[in-house]
Amino acid sequence: MTLEKNPATAPVPTDAVLPARTGSVIALLVASAFVVILNETIMGVALPRLMVDLDITAATAQWLTTGFLLTMAIVIPLTGFLLARFPLRSLFITAMSLFAAGTLIAAVAPGFEMLLAGRVVQASGTAIMMPLLFTTVLNVVPATHRGRMMGVISIVIAVAPAVGPTVSGVILSALDWRWMFWLVLPIVVIALALGAVWVRNITETRHARFDALSVVLSALGFGGLVFGLSSIGESASGHAPVPVWIPLVVGAASLAVFVVRQLRLQKSDSALLDLRTFTSRSFSLAVVLVVVVMAALFGSLILLPIYLQQVLALDTLAVGLMLLPGGILMGVIAPIVGSLFDRYGPRPLVLPGMVVAAGALWGMATFDAHTSVGWIIAVHVALNLGLGFVFTPLLTSALGSLPHHLYSHGSAMTSTLQQVAGAAGTALFVTLMSVGSAEALAAGADAVTAISEGVHAAFLLGACVASAAVALTLFVRRPAAVEEPAPAPHH
């Protein structure tokens, strides 16, 4: 499948059909991304068992998920440069090799520190996969078919994290927690082997300047914010390694300097993250809404297993199976929503989707120690249904509104902010649960009732934020097509 030099510099015709082998490459990228993104949330159901086996607190165990997100928030901003500079095949092999190595480290980990190290290496590979998938699709899929293809990609972004708890619940019902990694490892190795044979370079590369200062500022900025947000949960339980305000201030200050530097570097087309993506109104609005949705999704994904196990005393298999219908539904509707987007545009899908998601979070705010299993499943299914109608249209609107030479930067930007939002949602929900539980205990409530009160407080705020986001969906429009995008200038 060797292509001529720079095949991606020309726009894809609107009536183009993907070559069979290019379709196979995209299918492999989607399947590989699904496996690696699944691991963002696979630890959720396992946390209570890991707390016992490794003798750690809930706030410390949370770092197995937030550490993953932290690493991604640091690495993903680099992918705009990596995608411009290095060929697709090299990046795929690097990403999957890192993920395989991290999976092996986690599988043999004797304690928390090594397990966390394995998660960090896993996340380094995962961080490269999603922007790589986005950029490849934007380069080779015609605009009239992007909604459908982005619907498939939404399965990776939304469904893989949603079914992570189910997968781990099934595994933990019969096996040790290390099998969550041993069972994934051969799948990753097979994907790596197939990629080495199938994947060829179907995107353009160019000489891109590497700005070391931007990398440092990006790591301090995005990493500091995610670290600070994650530390809030530990601070609430009295286990924060440093005062929470320190990483938050360092992160915010570094991010401000990072933005100023990118604005200067992008004049010579050498920015690490080109902020001209935000000159697109469709991109900016869609990104804000994606941040809200990701925070709600990840916050609920980490809180629900804790609630189901510690308040309702359900085992890991039951928890996993309860969360499965919602994940399956999101996977089923994602391609359908993509096709509807191609036909009707974003707003007829995003507005009702956000209303349903907000309503579901209000339903979750009613959960207590006596809530029926049927009601929990129904509300979780409703949340996934609503989010399923939001993800694909927003991502397609955001990335489809950009000119050709900003595709890699738009992919990196949306992927970075998704991770920051996921960490923020996780930290916010866990913190509110911890604070609410502590207040209830101080007022004389028993442990189960206290956790239930904390869960109620967390979902209540999530419902309020999602309800506010409904108003923003009124301004979502179909982006104007960029028919003849100019390639990036070379310097």
Side-chain angles (χ1 to χ4, degrees):
M1 198 181 110
T2 304
L3 301 179
E4 293 184 6
K5 185 179 180 181
N6 296 349
T9 53
V12 183
T14 56
D15 58 348
V17 177
L18 286 180
R21 287 196 221 172
T22 301
S24 298
V25 169
I26 291 178
L28 177 62
L29 292 179
V30 169
S32 300
F34 185 92
V35 172
V36 300
I37 293 290
L38 178 77
N39 279 266
E40 279 197 68
T41 57
I42 200 170
M43 302 304 293
V45 173
L47 291 185
R49 183 178 296 187
L50 287 166
M51 287 161 58
V52 175
D53 289 355
L54 304 179
D55 191 24
I56 54 178
T57 66
T60 301
Q62 173 195 329
W63 277 95
L64 294 171
T65 294
T66 53
F68 196 100
L69 296 174
L70 173 62
T71 304
M72 291 184 68
I74 293 173
V75 176
I76 288 176
L78 302 177
T79 59
F81 163 80
L82 295 174
L83 289 164
R85 182 69 182 85
F86 298 102
L88 176 70
R89 185 172 184 272
S90 299
L91 288 176
F92 176 84
I93 291 174
T94 299
M96 295 305 288
S97 297
L98 282 170
F99 186 82
T103 303
L104 179 60
I105 292 170
V108 300
F112 173 77
E113 290 77 11
M114 190 169 174
L115 177 58
L116 181 59
R119 294 285 287 165
V120 167
V121 177
Q122 274 190 322
S124 301
T126 304
I128 299 172
M129 278 302 301
M130 282 312 301
L132 185 150
L133 176 58
F134 277 134
T135 303
T136 302
V137 167
L138 289 169
N139 274 284
V140 302
V141 176
T144 52
H145 292 76
R146 276 186 193 150
R148 198 173 312 161
M149 185 59 68
M150 292 297 281
V152 174
I153 294 177
S154 291
I155 298 176
V156 174
I157 298 170
V159 179
V163 301
T166 302
V167 172
S168 58
V170 171
I171 294 172
L172 290 170
S173 68
L175 300 167
D176 180 76
W177 59 264
R178 286 181 175 79
W179 283 97
M180 292 191 297
F181 303 104
W182 284 123
L183 293 176
V184 167
L185 188 58
I187 300 173
V188 177
V189 172
I190 291 171
L192 179 58
L194 290 175
V197 175
W198 289 358
V199 176
R200 293 295 180 266
N201 301 319
I202 57 178
T203 56
E204 178 192 26
T205 60
R206 61 182 177 83
H207 178 72
R209 174 186 165 190
F210 180 78
D211 184 59
L213 180 56
S214 291
V215 174
V216 173
L217 290 170
S218 170
L220 288 173
F222 292 112
L225 289 178
V226 173
F227 183 86
L229 289 166
S230 301
S231 297
I232 293 173
E234 289 185 293
S235 176
S237 60
H239 295 92
V242 296
V244 171
W245 66 269
I246 294 178
L248 289 177
V249 169
V250 170
S254 301
L255 201 56
V257 179
F258 174 79
V259 168
V260 172
R261 183 160 183 81
Q262 301 319 293
L263 291 174
R264 186 172 71 81
L265 290 176
Q266 68 190 26
K267 295 176 182 177
S268 59
D269 193 44
S270 55
L272 183 69
L273 273 182
D274 198 318
L275 302 181
R276 284 174 291 189
T277 52
F278 287 104
T279 59
S280 165
R281 177 182 172 277
S282 294
F283 180 87
S284 300
L285 179 59
V287 164
V288 170
L289 287 168
V290 165
V291 164
V292 172
V293 169
M294 285 296 289
L297 176 63
F298 274 84
S300 63
L301 281 177
I302 197 165
L303 215 58
L304 273 176
I306 294 174
Y307 163 74
L308 292 172
Q309 291 180 78
Q310 296 189 4
V311 176
L312 299 188
L314 298 174
D315 60 36
T316 54
L317 178 58
V319 171
L321 293 177
M322 284 179 66
L323 300 179
L324 183 59
I328 291 177
L329 177 64
M330 193 181 286
V332 169
I333 67 171
I336 300 171
V337 171
S339 297
L340 291 173
F341 172 88
D342 288 334
R343 189 170 180 181
Y344 300 109
R347 191 163 62 168
L349 304 172
V350 173
L351 177 57
M354 189 62 81
V355 169
V356 171
L361 285 167
W362 282 110
M364 289 182 174
T366 68
F367 290 176
D368 58 26
H370 307 290
T371 303
S372 70
V373 168
W375 172 243
I376 294 170
I377 294 174
V379 172
H380 183 250
V381 166
L383 177 65
N384 282 269
L385 176 66
L387 296 181
F389 272 84
V390 171
F391 267 119
T392 298
L394 287 180
L395 288 171
T396 310
S397 296
L399 298 173
S401 66
L402 299 177
H404 185 275
H405 66 282
L406 291 179
Y407 282 168
S408 62
H409 291 282
S411 301
M413 185 68 73
T414 53
S415 297
T416 299
L417 292 177
Q418 283 174 39
Q419 302 316 311
V420 174
T426 298
L428 182 63
F429 276 50
V430 169
T431 299
L432 288 170
M433 183 196 74
S434 299
V435 171
S437 298
E439 290 178 351
L441 282 172
D446 61 83
V448 171
T449 303
I451 295 173
S452 178
E453 289 294 323
V455 168
H456 169 76
F459 281 127
L460 189 62
L461 181 65
C464 291
V465 173
S467 298
V470 171
L472 290 178
T473 64
L474 297 171
F475 300 96
V476 174
R477 300 282 189 279
R478 184 193 291 269
V482 186
E483 303 225 344
E484 295 291 335
H490 295 244
H491 295 277

